[in-house]
């Protein structure tokens, strides 16, 4: 993004620019969806969010995540984060906050805006506001003072409204101390686990049990319908092979499509590479950015930058977009001639580049483009012939009920497939098989066109969807019945040792007699820390609450917990550690601040949730894609 953003991601200046993009938004997927105005991303009541606002917010959010994740920020991470959804929801939140501030008469005066800007360290020299530094930083980031002052005014209004909404977020010291002691309390427990796989001496499943289980689960063993096909592909390249366009055709096509026969845009570029390590990365970025700010324009300035950074620059060379990394190509090919761009992080090194000259796309002479023109003509005619021949062959195949005979005069052979079901490897196969499953054996299906290829196919064999008889899947059903028996036995064993015990020592003794697994856990805070390994797979959402209630007065949890794997667990109290007054004194300020910040967030988020019910929100979902 912006050089200053990369250099000072945590500065007051950047916080002002990104004040609302950085907000956490908890309303996901809100509102209705529409496709009314291609220039509008969302409508909130009478207000709207433009596609330009959305695009800028999404880009800013993505680049802020790139700063945080570095090289770990991959397309998969971006998709998981749902950046577009975050961006539109944050902008919706901003619109609602500003609308509510307007209703409440909350304003930001010019004096407040000026004071806020003057207090930002990025605009100060020796602790005082420096107007030249202010204008210079804004110019570097393609902003004018009115835009930045508007963003700052919005930030002030938002903060004022947040303060109003968050009234009551404070907490008394006694209340905070109680919460601290509750969350800091640690315990050790005894966990007894009954594993189904270790249950022995179970009776062999009866025929009645096997049959009952088969009836219960037989649908999950259903075999989907499948077909064998003969498939012929009518492709443009097949029919293009014998086409030789005349010179008149080539010249006419060239004259009509001159925009297709242009050279690539090139830039005469020299580069500086500044290797960095994790230890000196930020320092080198700062130095490189400062050197660029001080450099004169042009080659001389670029050489001065190289000299100041004590690195050498590469010789000038002509490059196309394909010759440079994609992240660099965008900036490089938007820069005017005699411009220095960077620093850009290329992973292990920062790159500065000087664009000396620009060679714009030019017409390729017909003599040089002749082969390309002829190939395009061949493919265009081949595409037309493929369509014609496919639709000639189809009625013949339907009448003859034999796809091979219908293809004899077209120079194409059908290929025979193996068994194909609903799940196949390619898009074409998927669409053809889905249609073929609706046909009878011997029937020729309608032509299926995908892209430039036309598919003609015939059903050779077919098997309908069916459930296999019990005898065919008896081993699988037997295994399921046995697993049910083992799970029930494990639960019964855990329940028995629990019912016969009143203390951890009794539970341990009874579990040993029953041959169950035992774990004496280490210390953990049941409300805030990771649970011991044995308890991490428990599906009961109330287990933390139950564990927190264990104490010298409450020695056992009177229920059995189960994991997805069928392990049944009983838990008993061993001992506890209570936080001391010294612990509270050390953590008090930080803990109270954290509680108040969380209360503040909850109050503001609750307000937004409530107001969302009053505003009609439409998100142009299809346009945002």
């Amino acid at each position: 993004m912006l050089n200053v953003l990369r250099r000072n991601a945590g500065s007051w200046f950047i916080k002002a620019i990104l004040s609302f993009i950085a907000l956490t938004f908890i309303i996901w997927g809100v509102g209705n969806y529409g496709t009314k105005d291609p220039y509008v991303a969302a409508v909130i009541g009478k207000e709207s969010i433009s596609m330009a606002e959305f695009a800028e917010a999404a880009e800013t959010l993505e680049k802020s995540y790139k700063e945080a994740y570095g090289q770990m920020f991959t397309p998969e991470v971006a998709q998981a984060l749902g950046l577009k959804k975050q961006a539109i929801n944050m902008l919706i939140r901003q619109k609602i906050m500003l609308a509510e501030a307007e209703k409440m008469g909350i304003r930001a005066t010019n004096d407040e805006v000026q004071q806020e800007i003057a207090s930002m360290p990025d605009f100060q020299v020796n602790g005082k506001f420096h107007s030249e530094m202010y204008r210079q930083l804004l110019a570097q980031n393609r902003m004018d003072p009115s835009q930045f002052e508007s963003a700052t005014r919005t930030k002030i209004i938002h903060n004022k409204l947040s303060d109003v909404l968050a009234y009551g977020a404070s907490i008394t010291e006694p209340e905070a101390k109680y919460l601290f002691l509750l969350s800091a309390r640690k315990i050790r427990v005894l966990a007894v686990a009954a594993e189904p796989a270790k249950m022995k001496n179970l009776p062999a499943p009866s025929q009645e049990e096997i049959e009952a289980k088969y009836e219960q689960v037989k649908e999950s063993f259903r075999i989907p319908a499948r077909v064998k096909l003969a498939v012929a592909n009518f492709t443009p390249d097949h029919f293009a092979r014998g086409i030789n366009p005349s010179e008149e055709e080539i010249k006419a096509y060239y004259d009509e499509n001159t925009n297709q026969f242009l050279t690539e845009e090139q830039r005469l570029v020299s580069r500086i590479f500044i290797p960095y390590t994790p230890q000196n990365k930020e320092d080198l970025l700062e130095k490189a950015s400062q050197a660029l700010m001080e450099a004169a324009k042009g080659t001389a300035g670029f050489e001065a930058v190289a000299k100041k950074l004590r690195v050498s620059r590469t010789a000038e060379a002509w490059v196309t977009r394909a010759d440079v990394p994609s992240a660099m190509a965008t900036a490089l090919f938007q820069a005017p001639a005699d411009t220095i761009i960077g620093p850009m992080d290329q992973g292990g090194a920062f790159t500065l580049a000087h664009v000396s000259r620009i060679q714009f796309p030019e017409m390729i002479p017909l003599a040089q483009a002749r082969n390309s023109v002829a190939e395009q003509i061949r493919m265009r005619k081949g595409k037309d012939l493929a369509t014609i021949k496919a639709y000639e062959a189809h009625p013949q195949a339907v009448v003859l009920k034999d796809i091979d005979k219908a293809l004899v005069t077209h120079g194409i052979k059908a290929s025979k497939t193996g068994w194909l079901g609903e799940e196949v490897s390619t898009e074409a196969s998927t669409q053809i098989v889905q249609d073929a499953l609706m046909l009878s054996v011997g029937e020729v299906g309608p032509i299926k066109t995908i892209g430039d290829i036309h598919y003609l196919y015939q059903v050779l064999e077919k098997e309908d969807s069916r459930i296999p008889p019990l005898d065919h899947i008896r081993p699988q059903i037997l295994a399921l019945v046995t697993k049910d028996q083992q799970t029930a036995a494990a639960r019964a064993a855990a329940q028995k040792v629990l019912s016969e015990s009143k203390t951890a020592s009794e539970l341990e003794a009874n579990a040993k007699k029953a041959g169950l697994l035992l774990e004496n856990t280490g210390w953990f805070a049941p409300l805030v820390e990771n649970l011991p390994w044995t308890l991490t797979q428990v599906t009961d959402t109330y287990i933390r609450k139950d564990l927190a209630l264990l104490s010298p007065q409450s020695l056992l949890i009177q229920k059995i917990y189960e994991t997805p794997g069928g392990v049944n667990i009983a838990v008993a109290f061993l001992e506890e550690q209570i936080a001391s007054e010294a612990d509270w004194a050390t953590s008090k300020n930080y803990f109270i601040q954290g509680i108040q910040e969380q209360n503040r967030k909850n109050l503001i988020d609750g307000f937004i949730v409530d107001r969302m019910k009053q505003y009609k929100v439409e998100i142009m979902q299809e346009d945002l894609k």
Side-chain angles (χ1 to χ4, degrees), residues 336-355:
D338 208 17
T339 300
I340 303 173
I341 62 170
M344 289 169 285
D345 190 346
Q346 299 295 303
F350 294 116
T351 300
L352 307 177
H354 173 242
V355 180

Side-chain angles (χ1 to χ4, degrees), residues 301-320:
F302 199 54
E303 291 176 348
V305 171
K307 184 176 181 181
K308 181 167 184 177
L309 296 173
R310 297 181 181 178
V311 292
S312 58
R313 69 183 184 91
T314 65
E316 289 186 326
W318 288 101
V319 298
T320 65

Side-chain angles (χ1 to χ4, degrees), residues 1-17:
M1 187 185 162
L2 314 170
N3 290 337
V4 175
L5 173 57
R6 288 196 298 264
R7 191 171 73 252
N8 296 316
S11 72
W12 285 102
F13 174 52
I14 298 307
K15 287 179 181 177
I17 296 176

Side-chain angles (χ1 to χ4, degrees), residues 149-185:
E149 288 161 14
S150 176
T152 303
R153 189 181 303 277
T154 298
K155 174 193 170 188
I156 294 171
I157 294 172
H158 177 274
N159 288 342
K160 284 184 175 183
L161 177 58
S162 296
D163 290 340
V164 171
L165 299 178
Y167 179 79
S170 60
I171 184 173
T172 66
E173 185 172 325
E175 290 172 327
K177 184 176 181 180
Y178 171 78
L179 292 175
F180 174 78
L181 294 176
L182 189 64
S183 61
R185 174 178 175 264

Side-chain angles (χ1 to χ4, degrees), residues 499-517:
S499 64
E500 294 174 348
S501 307
K502 295 182 179 180
T503 65
S505 59
E506 291 180 1
L507 182 64
E508 180 177 8
N510 291 329
K512 285 181 178 179
K513 290 180 184 178
L516 306 185
L517 296 177

Side-chain angles (χ1 to χ4, degrees), residues 160-420:
K160 284 184 175 183
L161 177 58
S162 296
D163 290 340
V164 171
L165 299 178
Y167 179 79
S170 60
I171 184 173
T172 66
E173 185 172 325
E175 290 172 327
K177 184 176 181 180
Y178 171 78
L179 292 175
F180 174 78
L181 294 176
L182 189 64
S183 61
R185 174 178 175 264
K186 294 189 175 186
I187 61 173
R188 290 179 61 245
V189 300
L190 169 68
V192 171
E195 295 184 338
K198 295 188 176 181
M199 296 296 106
K200 307 298 183 182
N201 303 320
L202 299 178
S206 66
Q207 181 64 20
E208 291 76 13
E209 289 175 316
I210 293 173
E211 291 175 354
K213 191 64 177 180
Y214 173 75
E215 291 298 323
Q216 179 186 352
V217 302
K218 64 182 181 182
E219 189 62 38
S220 65
F221 288 90
R222 178 178 290 279
I223 298 172
R226 58 181 187 167
V227 291
K228 286 184 179 180
L229 304 174
V231 183
N233 304 339
F234 289 76
T235 62
D237 61 328
H238 173 80
F239 292 97
R241 293 169 190 164
I243 297 173
N244 293 303
S246 66
E247 290 301 321
E248 291 77 11
E249 287 179 302
I250 291 174
K251 186 176 186 310
Y253 187 89
Y254 174 81
D255 291 340
E256 293 172 3
N257 299 277
T258 53
N259 62 323
Q260 296 183 28
F261 306 103
L262 300 173
T263 61
E264 286 192 72
E265 181 180 342
Q266 297 186 74
R267 303 277 170 126
L268 186 59
V269 175
S270 177
R271 281 175 270 187
I272 292 174
F273 298 99
I274 312 167
Y276 64 75
T277 65
Q279 292 73 30
N280 67 2
K281 179 179 179 180
E282 292 302 321
D283 182 53
L284 286 177
L285 179 59
E286 178 70 28
K287 289 180 179 178
S289 301
Q290 188 63 34
L292 280 183
M293 291 174 60
E294 298 172 356
K297 187 177 181 181
T299 303
F302 199 54
E303 291 176 348
V305 171
K307 184 176 181 181
K308 181 167 184 177
L309 296 173
R310 297 181 181 178
V311 292
S312 58
R313 69 183 184 91
T314 65
E316 289 186 326
W318 288 101
V319 298
T320 65
R321 286 181 179 269
D323 297 327
V324 294
S326 57
M328 182 179 178
T330 301
L332 195 63
F333 279 80
Q334 287 179 350
D338 208 17
T339 300
I340 303 173
I341 62 170
M344 289 169 285
D345 190 346
Q346 299 295 303
F350 294 116
T351 300
L352 307 177
H354 173 242
V355 180
S356 179
R357 292 166 55 195
I358 301 175
Q359 185 172 307
F360 292 102
E362 298 176 351
M363 280 285 298
I364 301 174
L366 177 57
Q368 296 179 22
R370 186 184 184 284
N371 290 339
S372 177
V373 174
E375 182 61 23
Q376 290 193 29
I377 294 173
R378 276 193 289 271
M379 291 306 296
R380 178 173 288 190
K381 289 186 174 182
K383 181 179 177 181
D384 293 339
L385 276 175
T387 303
I388 293 169
K389 296 298 183 181
Y391 281 89
E392 285 179 354
H394 181 259
Q396 297 171 6
V398 171
V399 172
L400 295 172
K401 295 185 178 180
D402 190 325
I403 191 173
D404 290 325
K405 290 181 181 179
L407 295 173
V408 170
T409 59
H410 299 285
I412 293 177
K413 291 185 178 181
S415 60
K416 307 300 189 291
T417 74
W419 285 109
L420 301 174

